[in-house]
Amino acid sequence: MESFMREAASVNVATSLRELREAQGISMRTLATRSGLSANALSMIERGKTSPSVSTLYKLADALGVSITAFFGTENPKKQVVFLKADERTHMSFTRGVFEGLGGSQFSGRVEPFMLTLETGASSGPSNVVHSGHEFVFCLRGRLEYYVDKQFFMLEAGDSLLFESRLRHRWKNPGATVTTALIIISGFAEGEEPHAMHWKNKDVKEET
């Protein structure tokens, strides 16, 4: 996992967050209030002193009213056809994992494909996620636990899961090895940012 993260052309979350916040004319204190994070935690992230968890990234995206892909930098013009070479994917590291964009931020349609590589214990956070559209999950390696509408599904390499995203859901890597999964969110409402999900729990620590 560590070698993978070193090789990844990771986005500088600290710089992207500061630019997004300043572009909207929002103070650090205001963003802290909106996101439910402490001003100190936000300051540590913006100064590059700490790496945010995936739950924290979602909270910040929601507070700023943008997709999590906005942290990748300036958004490209929308295209009807998007072709990406393997080394052109945008990588973003978070606590215990790596997020890889697969062209959704450049595509004109309502599809958000991305890949997650997760260390043991990495999760989407303790709160359930609800949004419009549909979610498809394909486990490439390791084990991935998905909770959907009061049911638990354990995915292993080759297993898939498809469900309506309006159902409460969350995910976690419960295994002892690294997990990689392909996730595709589609059919979401016009104007909705599928990654800017609403996190109610203010505890930004990863589940163990």
Side-chain angles (χ1 to χ4, degrees), residues 11-23 45-46 64 68-74 92:
V11 169
N12 187 327
V13 176
T15 299
S16 296
L17 174 59
R18 184 169 59 253
E19 291 177 348
L20 287 167
R21 178 178 62 77
E22 292 178 348
I45 294 172
E46 282 205 4
L64 290 166
I68 196 172
T69 55
F71 291 114
F72 291 167
T74 303
M92 181 168 63

Side-chain angles (χ1 to χ4, degrees), residues 108-173:
S108 58
R110 300 177 194 173
V111 179
E112 284 274 5
F114 58 95
M115 193 145 56
L116 292 178
T117 299
L118 309 167
E119 291 183 350
T120 299
S123 75
S124 57
S127 301
N128 290 319
V129 180
V130 177
H131 53 95
S132 64
H134 314 99
E135 194 157 330
F136 173 77
V137 186
F138 186 84
C139 185
L140 297 168
R141 64 169 171 169
R143 305 174 72 204
L144 181 62
E145 179 184 277
Y146 247 84
Y147 169 86
V148 182
D149 193 29
K150 300 180 181 180
Q151 298 183 72
F152 285 93
F153 301 92
M154 184 63 69
L155 284 76
E156 298 180 328
D159 295 343
S160 63
L161 180 65
L162 177 63
F163 59 92
E164 294 187 17
S165 303
R166 64 179 176 77
L167 300 175
R168 297 178 183 276
H169 58 280
R170 61 180 185 269
W171 49 257
K172 177 180 180 179
N173 174 10

